[in-house]
Amino acid sequence: MRKKMEKIFFGKMEDFNQKDSIKYWQKQSAEVRLNAVWELVEDAWKLKGKDINELRFQRSVALFKRR
């Protein structure tokens, strides 16, 4: 499965304009931003050699009662 990639910035770090980057991400929908962050989380786990399945929700159950 190929991921759709979009070039946001190309150049030297000293030429990077953070304000333009912020404006770009503010124009994106919440879904697009969340998906981008989740991809970064998955990539970080892969780089650490961890199993991506560990990122899934745990299905444990807890019961709280008032005293």
Side-chain angles (χ1 to χ4, degrees), residues 1 3 5 16 22 24 26 29 35 40 44 46 48 51 56 64:
M1 180 170 153
K3 294 180 182 180
M5 301 288 285
F16 178 73
I22 291 170
Y24 170 82
Q26 285 177 338
S29 68
N35 287 336
L40 291 172
K46 287 178 189 176
K48 291 179 181 181
D51 183 10
R56 295 181 182 200
F64 297 97

Side-chain angles (χ1 to χ4, degrees), residues 6-10 16 20-21 24-25:
E6 181 179 349
K7 182 171 64 170
I8 299 169
F9 172 78
F10 181 78
F16 178 73
D20 289 340
S21 179
Y24 170 82
W25 287 109

Side-chain angles (χ1 to χ4, degrees), residues 18-51:
Q18 189 175 5
K19 290 180 183 178
D20 289 340
S21 179
I22 291 170
K23 287 179 187 177
Y24 170 82
W25 287 109
Q26 285 177 338
K27 289 180 187 176
Q28 305 304 313
S29 68
E31 181 182 4
V32 170
R33 288 182 281 169
L34 184 61
N35 287 336
V37 170
W38 188 249
E39 284 183 33
L40 291 172
V41 169
E42 287 181 338
D43 290 343
W45 274 69
K46 287 178 189 176
L47 286 172
K48 291 179 181 181
K50 295 185 178 183
D51 183 10

